[in-house]
C-alpha cells in the first residue's frame, strides 16, 4: 500500500478484500485519510459495482449509537473463466470472483493437436459455459489457464515444454482472447497463463492452508511437477522454471520425453507407471489409466505406484530440506495410498528430523478442481491489485 495518508481507491479495496479494514472508520484509522477522502474513494468503488454494504457491525463506543456499516467486496459483479489443460484432456469452468464454481465441463482435448486448435476449442467451451451459468459474455473479466509446462509469467508463453509439442513460445494469451471473442462477439479479454502445478498449489494453499507460509504441492500425473507458494505468492524462479522436479536426474537409464536419460519423470510419473504396466500386458497408456487401475485395486499397479512413490520421496527429501515447508501435498493421478506410502517411506528416511518435525504430508483437498480454483484466483488477484484497480477505474471513467 502507498504511504499513510496517500492510499488510493485500490488500496482501500485491498483492505476490504483482505478483511483488514471493513468499515469506513477502520479505513480512516488504517490509512490516515480524512472521512471525506475515504468517502470519495469508496464512492468510485461503489459506482464501479465492486463494493457493497453488508450488515451493521458491533457498536464500538460505550456510549452506544448506530452500528458501523460493514463493507464487502461484491464477488457477484463479474465472473472469471478458468481452464486446466493436461496432455489428453481438459477441464474448464466459470467462477465467481470469490472462487465459487458456477458451471463446469471436462472432456478430451489433446495437447499434441497444437495451440491453435486447443485454444480455439476452449473459446467455444467458455461461450457454452457462460450460457449454462446464465451469465452474459460481457460479465467475464478475465481468463486463467493452467498448462503442463514451464511458463514465462511476463509473456504468458511456455518455454521448451517437453509435453507440449508445437507450443514453445506461442502467443497463448492473444490466441485464447481472440478465440473467446470469436465465439462471443466480445472484445479483448485479459488472459493469464501459468504452470498447472503452480496454480494447483495456489488454489489449495489459499482455500485450505491460508496460514501456511511455505507450501509445496507435487503433481504426479503423466509427468511430475511441483508448485511452491511462499508468503502467499507463487514462487516461479526468474523465468518460470521453479518446481520442475520431474527432470531431476535420479541415476536411471530410462529415456525421458525431454530427450535426456534418467529423469525422475521417466521412472516415477503416471506415464512411466503406465508404460511398465503395458509392458507387463496390462492395458494402460496414461496416468489417468493408472488412476483407474489403482481405484480398482489392481495389484501390479499398486506395487508400481508404491515404488514410484519411493523414487519421488527420495527427491522430495532434498526439496523439504531446502524449503522447510509446513505442508507437502501430493496430487494428480497417482495421489493415492500406495504412492503416498512410498513417498513417506523415503522422505522420512532421508530427510533430517528437523526438516520434517512440523511437516504435514497430505493429499489434495480440491482434487481435479485445484487448477481451476488457482487459475481463477490468479486472475482476480491480478485484476484487483491496487495499481490495476486505478487503471481500470480510470478506463471506466469512474
Amino acid at each position: 500500500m502507498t504511504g499513510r495518508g496517500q492510499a488510493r481507491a485500490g488500496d482501500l479495496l485491498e483492505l476490504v478484500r483482505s478483511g483488514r479494514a471493513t468499515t469506513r472508520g477502520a479505513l480512516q484509522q488504517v490509512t490516515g485519510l480524512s472521512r471525506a477522502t475515504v468517502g470519495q474513494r469508496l464512492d468510485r468503488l461503489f459506482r464501479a459495482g465492486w463494493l457493497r454494504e453488508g450488515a451493521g457491525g458491533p457498536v464500538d463506543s460505550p456510549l452506544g449509537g448506530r452500528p458501523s456499516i460493514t463493507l464487502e467486496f461484491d464477488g457477484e459483479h463479474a465472473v472469471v473463466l478458468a481452464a486446466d489443460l493436461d496432455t489428453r484432456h481438459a477441464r474448464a469452468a466459470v467462477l465467481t470472483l470469490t472462487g465459487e464454481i458456477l458451471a463446469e465441463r471436462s472432456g478430451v482435448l489433446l495437447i499434441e493437436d497444437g495451440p491453435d486448435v486447443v485454444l480455439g476449442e476452449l473459446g467455444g467451451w467458455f461461450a457454452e459455459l457462460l450460457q449454462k451459468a446464465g451469465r452474459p459474455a460481457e460479465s467475464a473479466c478475465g481468463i486463467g489457464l493452467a498448462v503442463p509446462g514451464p511458463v514465462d509469467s511476463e509473456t504468458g508463453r511456455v518455454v521448451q515444454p517437453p509435453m507440449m509439442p508445437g507450443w514453445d513460445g506461442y502467443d497463448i494469451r492473444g490466441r485464447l482472447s481472440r478465440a473467446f471473442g470469436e465465439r462471443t462477439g466480445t472484445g479483448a479479454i485479459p488472459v493469464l497463463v501459468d504452470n498447472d502445478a503452480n496454480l494447483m498449489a495456489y488454489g489449495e494453499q489459499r482455500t485450505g492452508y491460508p496460514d501456511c507460509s511455505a507450501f509445496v504441492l507435487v503433481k504426479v500425473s503423466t509427468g511430475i511437477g511441483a508448485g511452491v507458494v511462499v508468503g502467499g505468492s507463487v514462487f516461479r524462479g526468474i523465468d518460470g522454471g521453479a518446481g520442475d522436479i520431474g527432470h531431476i536426474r535420479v541415476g536411471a537409464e530410462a529415456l525421458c520425453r525431454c530427450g535426456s536419460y534418467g529423469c525422475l519423470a521417466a521412472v516415477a510419473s503416471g506415464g512411466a507407471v503406465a508404460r511398465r504396466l503395458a509392458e507387463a500386458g496390462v492395458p494402460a497408456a496414461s496416468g489417468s489409466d493408472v488412476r483407474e487401475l489403482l481405484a480398482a485395486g489392481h495389484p501390479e499397479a499398486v506395487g508400481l505406484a508404491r515404488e514410484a512413490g519411493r523414487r519421488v520421496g527420495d527427491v522430495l527429501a532434498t526439496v523439504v530440506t531446502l524449503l522447510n515447508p509446513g505442508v507437502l501435498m501430493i496430487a494428480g493421478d497417482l495421489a493415492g495410498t500406495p504412492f503416498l506410502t512410498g513417498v513417506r517411506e523415503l522422505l522420512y528416511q532421508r530427510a533430517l528430523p528437523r526438516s520434517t518435525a512440523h511437516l504435514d504430508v497430505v493429499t489434495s483437498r480440491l482434487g481435479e478442481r485445484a487448477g481451476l480454483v488457482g487459475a481463477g484466483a490468479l486472475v482476480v488477484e491480478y485484476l484487483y491489485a491496487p495499481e490495476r484497480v486505478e487503471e481500470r477505474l480510470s478506463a471506466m471513467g469512474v
Side-chain angles (χ1 to χ4, degrees):
M1 190 173 76
T2 52
R4 184 174 171 82
Q6 299 177 347
R8 304 157 296 182
D11 296 312
L12 300 192
L13 182 64
E14 179 67 19
L15 288 168
V16 173
R17 288 184 61 227
S18 66
R20 290 163 55 198
T22 57
T23 65
R24 289 170 173 81
L27 289 170
Q28 288 176 238
Q29 187 173 22
V30 171
T31 63
L33 296 175
S34 68
R35 179 177 180 179
T37 302
V38 166
Q40 290 169 357
R41 294 181 183 173
L42 289 179
D43 183 60
R44 297 178 70 198
L45 298 171
F46 278 114
R47 283 188 285 146
W50 298 352
L51 274 189
R52 65 187 177 197
E53 292 186 340
V59 177
D60 296 328
S61 171
L63 300 177
R66 293 188 301 173
S68 300
I69 300 298
T70 59
L71 303 170
E72 299 175 351
F73 177 61
D74 186 350
E76 301 293 327
H77 75 265
V79 294
V80 174
L81 305 172
D84 187 1
L85 293 180
D86 210 330
T87 54
R88 297 166 61 88
H89 67 276
R91 184 175 295 270
V94 178
L95 300 91
T96 67
L97 299 180
T98 53
E100 178 189 353
I101 292 179
L102 303 177
E104 181 181 8
R105 72 165 284 182
S106 62
V108 175
L109 207 53
L110 302 179
I111 206 92
E112 63 187 24
D113 285 344
D116 190 58
V117 171
V118 171
L119 299 175
E121 189 72 16
L122 278 181
W125 284 23
F126 286 141
E128 294 170 7
L129 284 168
L130 283 166
Q131 289 185 338
K132 183 178 178 181
R135 296 298 182 97
E138 293 76 15
S139 68
C141 63
I143 298 174
L145 178 65
V147 298
V151 177
D152 182 338
S153 60
E154 292 297 317
T155 65
R157 298 173 188 245
V158 292
V159 182
Q160 300 177 355
M163 297 190 299
M164 302 176 69
W167 291 70
D168 186 22
Y170 186 87
D171 181 16
I172 295 175
R173 291 175 177 172
R175 174 65 180 118
L176 187 51
S177 179
R178 289 194 304 274
F180 179 69
E182 290 164 2
R183 297 301 186 100
T184 60
T186 56
I189 186 172
V191 176
L192 275 72
V193 186
D194 207 339
N195 171 261
D196 54 359
N198 283 348
L199 292 180
M200 291 172 69
Y202 194 48
E204 295 277 9
Q205 188 271 337
R206 287 173 61 89
T207 57
Y209 303 89
D211 297 326
C212 180
S213 60
F215 178 97
V216 176
L217 177 143
V218 178
K219 179 185 178 184
V220 187
S221 291
T222 301
I224 300 176
V228 180
V229 180
V230 177
S233 299
V234 176
F235 178 76
R236 299 182 176 89
I238 60 171
D239 61 4
D244 202 4
I245 65 170
H247 299 287
I248 292 175
R249 302 291 180 85
V250 293
E253 293 302 317
L255 176 64
C256 182
R257 295 178 70 164
C258 73
S260 298
Y261 286 87
C263 294
L264 180 64
V267 295
S269 65
V273 172
R275 185 177 63 253
R276 293 187 62 183
L277 286 169
E279 291 170 353
V282 180
S286 67
S288 57
D289 293 334
V290 177
R291 178 179 59 194
E292 293 175 6
L293 290 168
L294 290 172
H298 189 283
E300 193 152 3
V302 168
L304 289 174
R306 182 165 179 169
E307 180 184 332
R310 288 171 58 84
R311 293 266 199 176
V312 173
D314 196 10
V315 170
L316 289 180
T318 301
V319 172
V320 166
T321 301
L322 178 66
L323 298 177
N324 189 211
V327 175
L328 171 62
M329 177 175 285
I330 307 298
D333 292 328
L334 297 194
T337 300
F339 186 86
L340 194 63
T341 299
V343 167
R344 284 178 166 147
E345 283 179 21
L346 263 290
L347 173 61
Y348 288 106
Q349 178 183 325
R350 300 291 170 84
L352 291 172
R354 173 70 183 82
S355 301
T356 58
H358 303 288
L359 175 68
D360 289 331
V361 183
V362 300
T363 53
S364 171
R365 290 187 175 190
L366 297 175
E368 294 182 340
R369 290 178 164 177
L372 295 177
V373 172
L378 184 74
V379 173
V380 172
E381 293 307 312
Y382 171 81
L383 291 177
Y384 294 92
E387 64 277 6
R388 204 146 289 107
V389 164
E390 295 303 317
E391 294 173 7
R392 296 177 65 203
L393 289 175
S394 296
M396 295 167 66
V398 174

